[in-house]
PDB file of all heavy atoms in Angstrom:
ATOM      1  N   ALA M  10     -18.762  15.729 -62.585  1.00 85.00           N
ATOM      2  CA  ALA M  10     -18.841  14.337 -61.991  1.00 85.00           C
ATOM      3  C   ALA M  10     -18.573  13.323 -63.022  1.00 85.00           C
ATOM      4  O   ALA M  10     -17.794  12.364 -62.728  1.00 85.00           O
ATOM      5  CB  ALA M  10     -20.219  14.218 -61.327  1.00 85.00           C
ATOM      6  N   ALA M  11     -19.069  13.509 -64.238  1.00 88.00           N
ATOM      7  CA  ALA M  11     -18.887  12.482 -65.308  1.00 88.00           C
ATOM      8  C   ALA M  11     -17.404  12.367 -65.723  1.00 88.00           C
ATOM      9  O   ALA M  11     -16.821  11.316 -65.791  1.00 88.00           O
ATOM     10  CB  ALA M  11     -19.711  12.840 -66.509  1.00 88.00           C
ATOM     11  N   VAL M  12     -16.791  13.523 -65.853  1.00 89.00           N
ATOM     12  CA  VAL M  12     -15.328  13.509 -66.241  1.00 89.00           C
ATOM     13  C   VAL M  12     -14.568  12.898 -65.111  1.00 89.00           C
ATOM     14  O   VAL M  12     -13.710  12.020 -65.388  1.00 89.00           O
ATOM     15  CB  VAL M  12     -14.907  14.981 -66.435  1.00 89.00           C
ATOM     16  CG1 VAL M  12     -13.350  15.046 -66.549  1.00 89.00           C
ATOM     17  CG2 VAL M  12     -15.549  15.567 -67.678  1.00 89.00           C
ATOM     18  N   PHE M  13     -14.870  13.222 -63.896  1.00 88.00           N
ATOM     19  CA  PHE M  13     -14.131  12.663 -62.763  1.00 88.00           C
ATOM     20  C   PHE M  13     -14.255  11.125 -62.758  1.00 88.00           C
ATOM     21  O   PHE M  13     -13.265  10.466 -62.608  1.00 88.00           O
ATOM     22  CB  PHE M  13     -14.731  13.290 -61.454  1.00 88.00           C
ATOM     23  CG  PHE M  13     -13.912  13.008 -60.310  1.00 88.00           C
ATOM     24  CD1 PHE M  13     -12.656  13.555 -60.118  1.00 88.00           C
ATOM     25  CD2 PHE M  13     -14.469  12.163 -59.277  1.00 88.00           C
ATOM     26  CE1 PHE M  13     -11.986  13.284 -58.963  1.00 88.00           C
ATOM     27  CE2 PHE M  13     -13.708  11.890 -58.138  1.00 88.00           C
ATOM     28  CZ  PHE M  13     -12.480  12.479 -58.007  1.00 88.00           C
ATOM     29  N   ALA M  14     -15.531  10.688 -62.897  1.00 89.00           N
ATOM     30  CA  ALA M  14     -15.724   9.260 -62.887  1.00 89.00           C
ATOM     31  C   ALA M  14     -15.016   8.596 -64.063  1.00 89.00           C
ATOM     32  O   ALA M  14     -14.417   7.496 -63.887  1.00 89.00           O
ATOM     33  CB  ALA M  14     -17.250   8.981 -63.005  1.00 89.00           C
ATOM     34  N   PHE M  15     -15.065   9.182 -65.237  1.00 89.00           N
ATOM     35  CA  PHE M  15     -14.367   8.638 -66.387  1.00 89.00           C
ATOM     36  C   PHE M  15     -12.904   8.511 -66.183  1.00 89.00           C
ATOM     37  O   PHE M  15     -12.302   7.466 -66.438  1.00 89.00           O
ATOM     38  CB  PHE M  15     -14.626   9.596 -67.621  1.00 89.00           C
ATOM     39  CG  PHE M  15     -14.079   9.073 -68.879  1.00 89.00           C
ATOM     40  CD1 PHE M  15     -14.730   7.975 -69.535  1.00 89.00           C
ATOM     41  CD2 PHE M  15     -12.971   9.581 -69.454  1.00 89.00           C
ATOM     42  CE1 PHE M  15     -14.287   7.520 -70.676  1.00 89.00           C
ATOM     43  CE2 PHE M  15     -12.446   9.081 -70.625  1.00 89.00           C
ATOM     44  CZ  PHE M  15     -13.062   8.035 -71.285  1.00 89.00           C
ATOM     45  N   VAL M  16     -12.338   9.489 -65.580  1.00 89.00           N
ATOM     46  CA  VAL M  16     -10.884   9.460 -65.262  1.00 89.00           C
ATOM     47  C   VAL M  16     -10.584   8.306 -64.364  1.00 89.00           C
ATOM     48  O   VAL M  16      -9.683   7.522 -64.612  1.00 89.00           O
ATOM     49  CB  VAL M  16     -10.409  10.796 -64.693  1.00 89.00           C
ATOM     50  CG1 VAL M  16      -8.984  10.644 -64.177  1.00 89.00           C
ATOM     51  CG2 VAL M  16     -10.434  11.875 -65.732  1.00 89.00           C
ATOM     52  N   LEU M  17     -11.354   8.234 -63.262  1.00 88.00           N
ATOM     53  CA  LEU M  17     -11.020   7.220 -62.284  1.00 88.00           C
ATOM     54  C   LEU M  17     -11.293   5.816 -62.762  1.00 88.00           C
ATOM     55  O   LEU M  17     -10.619   4.867 -62.445  1.00 88.00           O
ATOM     56  CB  LEU M  17     -11.765   7.451 -61.004  1.00 88.00           C
ATOM     57  CG  LEU M  17     -11.293   8.698 -60.161  1.00 88.00           C
ATOM     58  CD1 LEU M  17     -12.037   8.766 -58.845  1.00 88.00           C
ATOM     59  CD2 LEU M  17      -9.839   8.533 -59.876  1.00 88.00           C
ATOM     60  N   LEU M  18     -12.410   5.646 -63.554  1.00 88.00           N
ATOM     61  CA  LEU M  18     -12.824   4.320 -63.872  1.00 88.00           C
ATOM     62  C   LEU M  18     -12.257   3.852 -65.241  1.00 88.00           C
ATOM     63  O   LEU M  18     -12.194   2.617 -65.449  1.00 88.00           O
ATOM     64  CB  LEU M  18     -14.348   4.245 -63.937  1.00 88.00           C
ATOM     65  CG  LEU M  18     -15.033   4.555 -62.630  1.00 88.00           C
ATOM     66  CD1 LEU M  18     -16.555   4.477 -62.744  1.00 88.00           C
ATOM     67  CD2 LEU M  18     -14.595   3.506 -61.552  1.00 88.00           C
ATOM     68  N   VAL M  19     -11.887   4.716 -66.115  1.00 87.00           N
ATOM     69  CA  VAL M  19     -11.391   4.344 -67.394  1.00 87.00           C
ATOM     70  C   VAL M  19      -9.867   4.737 -67.649  1.00 87.00           C
ATOM     71  O   VAL M  19      -9.094   3.833 -67.903  1.00 87.00           O
ATOM     72  CB  VAL M  19     -12.249   4.885 -68.495  1.00 87.00           C
ATOM     73  CG1 VAL M  19     -11.723   4.507 -69.913  1.00 87.00           C
ATOM     74  CG2 VAL M  19     -13.716   4.488 -68.362  1.00 87.00           C
ATOM     75  N   ILE M  20      -9.643   5.965 -67.500  1.00 87.00           N
ATOM     76  CA  ILE M  20      -8.295   6.456 -67.834  1.00 87.00           C
ATOM     77  C   ILE M  20      -7.248   5.859 -66.896  1.00 87.00           C
ATOM     78  O   ILE M  20      -6.205   5.349 -67.341  1.00 87.00           O
ATOM     79  CB  ILE M  20      -8.229   8.015 -67.676  1.00 87.00           C
ATOM     80  CG1 ILE M  20      -9.359   8.599 -68.540  1.00 87.00           C
ATOM     81  CG2 ILE M  20      -6.857   8.526 -68.026  1.00 87.00           C
ATOM     82  CD1 ILE M  20      -8.953   9.114 -69.875  1.00 87.00           C
ATOM     83  N   VAL M  21      -7.466   5.916 -65.638  1.00 87.00           N
ATOM     84  CA  VAL M  21      -6.521   5.421 -64.686  1.00 87.00           C
ATOM     85  C   VAL M  21      -6.202   3.923 -64.869  1.00 87.00           C
ATOM     86  O   VAL M  21      -5.041   3.532 -64.985  1.00 87.00           O
ATOM     87  CB  VAL M  21      -6.978   5.679 -63.155  1.00 87.00           C
ATOM     88  CG1 VAL M  21      -6.055   4.929 -62.176  1.00 87.00           C
ATOM     89  CG2 VAL M  21      -6.860   7.188 -62.976  1.00 87.00           C
ATOM     90  N   PRO M  22      -7.271   3.070 -64.953  1.00 88.00           N
ATOM     91  CA  PRO M  22      -6.934   1.687 -65.195  1.00 88.00           C
ATOM     92  C   PRO M  22      -6.175   1.468 -66.474  1.00 88.00           C
ATOM     93  O   PRO M  22      -5.294   0.589 -66.592  1.00 88.00           O
ATOM     94  CB  PRO M  22      -8.364   0.981 -65.288  1.00 88.00           C
ATOM     95  CG  PRO M  22      -9.204   1.911 -64.475  1.00 88.00           C
ATOM     96  CD  PRO M  22      -8.704   3.256 -64.693  1.00 88.00           C
TER      97      PRO M  22
END
Side-chain angles (χ1 to χ4, degrees):
Chain M
V12 170
F13 191 67
F15 184 74
V16 169
L17 287 186
L18 297 176
V19 179
I20 307 263
V21 169

